[in-house]
Amino acid sequence: IIADENTLYDIEKYPVISLTWTPARYPVLDEHIYIQQHLVWSVEVTYEINDMFETDMNSFDNYLGVHLRYGKDWQRSCRNGIERGHPYMSSKQCINQELFPKDNSITSQICYPEVDEILNDIELLLKQTGASIIYLASDELDKVYDIIETRFPNVPIIYRIDNYHRAQVDLGMLIKGQHFIGNCLSSFTNFVVRSRTLEGKENHFFGLISNSN
């Protein structure tokens, strides 16, 4: 396909090509992760990410980015994942984590953790990293905000209010922070993880946090 496209579309004449299909496999293969380094946000999105970082975070990057899928559709996906086991969706990104089940099974703790598990993982990371602010991205923003705010009333929780470019700003902010925890099976989390990995930043996943530190 690449050879055909190079023949049909000369790079000098067609510097940008808009595709109606995904030109790579899902989930992203390890050998394709390097492509993430070529990601460039539009001028407008870059401005919105930087504005949020400078205004809401005061350019302070020692925050914990949290991405948590917690909607009913995700709950159904998790049930399917538990039945099928790994590989499923983006589970490959966390298969090598120390606490991932040795039999490659997918558990509810990994995919759709209980409230106490969510809060315990966040609390552990806040203590381990010294992060004093949380940036939250979720498909159930109000619900997850209330869950976290109840346990951590003194920790500022920042999130994107405006739905315009919300997904892109969330991605940018989750990538930008020093610390991050997300959903093992989520492709949204995987987008963040790819960029952070290329930048040499650590990534964590719900249900797979070690308290050995």
Side-chain angles (χ1 to χ4, degrees):
I1 294 177
I2 294 176
D4 291 340
E5 289 177 347
N6 286 340
T7 302
L8 290 172
Y9 306 108
D10 180 81
I11 192 171
E12 296 297 329
K13 190 174 181 180
Y14 302 99
V16 178
I17 300 177
S18 178
L19 304 177
T20 58
W21 73 95
T22 303
R25 282 186 54 184
Y26 169 79
V28 175
L29 299 176
D30 288 346
E31 55 264 38
H32 295 155
I33 290 177
Y34 77 93
I35 297 173
Q36 192 85 3
Q37 67 185 305
H38 301 295
L39 168 70
V40 178
W41 297 113
S42 69
V43 173
E44 184 177 3
V45 171
T46 299
Y47 172 81
E48 291 179 30
I49 293 171
N50 289 338
D51 182 62
M52 190 156 202
F53 179 69
E54 293 167 6
T55 303
D56 294 87
M57 299 297 187
N58 294 318
S59 299
F60 182 69
D61 67 355
N62 189 32
Y63 61 86
L64 174 62
V66 175
H67 173 239
L68 183 62
R69 287 292 307 272
Y70 222 56
K72 291 189 178 299
D73 62 326
W74 185 250
Q75 193 173 25
R76 288 192 294 269
S77 296
C78 288
R79 285 198 294 266
N80 291 334
I82 291 169
E83 291 176 3
R84 298 182 186 183
H86 171 79
Y88 182 71
M89 298 176 72
S90 292
S91 63
K92 187 177 181 180
Q93 66 181 326
C94 51
I95 186 67
N96 293 322
Q97 296 290 306
E98 178 184 350
L99 300 182
F100 198 94
K102 301 303 180 185
D103 62 356
N104 286 349
S105 61
I106 292 173
T107 65
S108 58
Q109 183 180 10
I110 293 173
C111 192
Y112 199 87
E114 297 289 340
V115 169
D116 283 346
E117 295 169 341
I118 294 168
L119 296 175
N120 289 341
D121 283 349
I122 291 175
E123 183 174 19
L124 191 60
L125 283 178
L126 289 175
K127 289 179 179 178
Q128 289 180 352
T129 64
S132 56
I133 303 174
I134 291 172
Y135 183 87
L136 175 63
S138 176
D139 57 337
E140 291 286 340
L141 193 55
D142 292 339
K143 178 180 178 180
V144 175
Y145 176 91
D146 289 342
I147 289 172
I148 298 175
E149 198 272 339
T150 301
R151 171 78 72 90
F152 308 106
N154 297 321
V155 178
I157 304 172
I158 309 300
Y159 56 90
R160 172 76 170 179
I161 298 175
D162 191 348
N163 283 326
Y164 186 63
H165 284 159
R166 182 168 136 191
Q168 292 88 340
V169 172
D170 280 347
L171 289 168
M173 291 298 293
L174 294 173
I175 293 167
K176 209 173 185 70
Q178 285 297 312
H179 316 289
F180 172 69
I181 182 170
N183 273 109
C184 170
L185 276 67
S186 168
S187 57
F188 193 96
T189 283
N190 188 236
F191 188 101
V192 175
V193 167
R194 293 198 300 272
S195 288
R196 292 178 60 84
T197 299
L198 290 171
E199 294 180 13
K201 295 178 179 178
E202 285 189 342
N203 301 293
H204 303 278
F205 303 94
F206 284 105
L208 298 171
I209 301 294
S210 171
N211 61 6
S212 58
N213 294 337

